[in-house]
Structure formats: structure tokens, C-alpha cells
Amino acid sequence: MADDEREQAVQAAIAGEMRLLDPEVRASPAQTLELLDPEFTEIGASGRRWDVQSIITAMSGSVSAESPVKVSELSGAVVAPGVVHVTYFADNQGRRVRRSSVWRLAETGWRMYFHQGTLAS
């Protein structure tokens, strides 16, 4: 995989990650489903395991336009052809969580396959 292809893959996954943090996208199950892999799973900061349907229900209204999630230390790396790992810190009204996502390329574009959040001090 050429360097420019790697960079394009990383940027596509990061763009998807940022879309999933957008309050308008989170409020729209249809838009959220476009970004989540059908086999999506998450281990939340609470330790709870989520699947596509449970996360769609929980995401609606979880981030407001008045207090968006602040992202820092955002980076990504291609770990295999068609697979990107994204990491960052998310601060949602003082609740800091280290986030880690695995994105994979599907026929419909980049979709989040796995996500984990770990509370940070």
C-alpha cells in the first residue's frame, strides 16, 4: 500500500469518526447506520458491551450542539489493507475518555467495526 493510499485511508476513517461525534449525525439513526459496520460492537467506558441497535438507541441526544465533544491527540494508522485504527481523547463536559476505534472498508465505504472507551483521569 502506497503512502498516499495509507493517508487517504486514515483520513477517511478520521472523517467518519468525527461525523459520529456530530450531534446531528448522532440524532439520526439512518446517518449513524451508514457509519457503523453491521457487525459493530463497542465496549464502553462503563464496561458495558454494545451492539448496533443498542448504541443507536443510546446515541440519540447524548451530545448537544451547545456542548460538543472536544477531541485531542487524534491519530490513525493503517493496520492492514482496508483496516484503520483511530485513537484520541474525548472530553464531553469534563468527562475525559481515551477512545479507540477500528474502521474497515466495505463496499459502501469506511465503517466503524469496533470501538472502546476507557475513562481517563
Side-chain angles (χ1 to χ4, degrees):
M1 185 177 232
D3 286 346
D4 60 329
E5 290 175 309
R6 286 180 179 275
E7 184 60 25
Q8 287 175 358
V10 167
Q11 290 308 313
I14 286 173
E17 192 80 46
M18 298 310 292
R19 282 193 63 214
L20 281 171
L21 293 173
D22 182 322
E24 283 186 34
V25 173
R26 294 175 82 84
S28 168
Q31 288 184 62
T32 301
L33 283 171
E34 290 175 6
L35 295 166
L36 297 180
D37 190 275
E39 297 177 17
F40 169 83
T41 58
E42 175 175 335
I43 300 170
S46 66
R48 181 177 173 183
R49 185 177 184 282
W50 303 83
D51 61 14
V52 172
Q53 290 307 321
S54 60
I55 205 71
I56 293 276
T57 301
M59 283 176 68
S60 181
S62 63
V63 175
S64 72
E66 295 78 34
S67 56
V69 174
K70 295 178 185 134
V71 174
S72 61
E73 298 182 34
L74 180 63
S75 67
V78 174
V79 293
V83 180
V84 173
H85 181 221
V86 175
T87 60
Y88 59 99
F89 270 111
D91 185 325
N92 188 0
Q93 299 179 34
R95 185 174 187 255
R96 288 185 36 92
V97 179
R98 174 157 308 268
R99 301 271 176 195
S100 176
S101 300
V102 176
W103 289 77
R104 69 180 178 182
L105 185 57
E107 289 181 13
T108 56
W110 288 93
R111 299 178 88 170
M112 184 185 284
Y113 174 74
F114 177 79
H115 186 78
Q116 181 165 355
T118 304
L119 288 175
S121 55

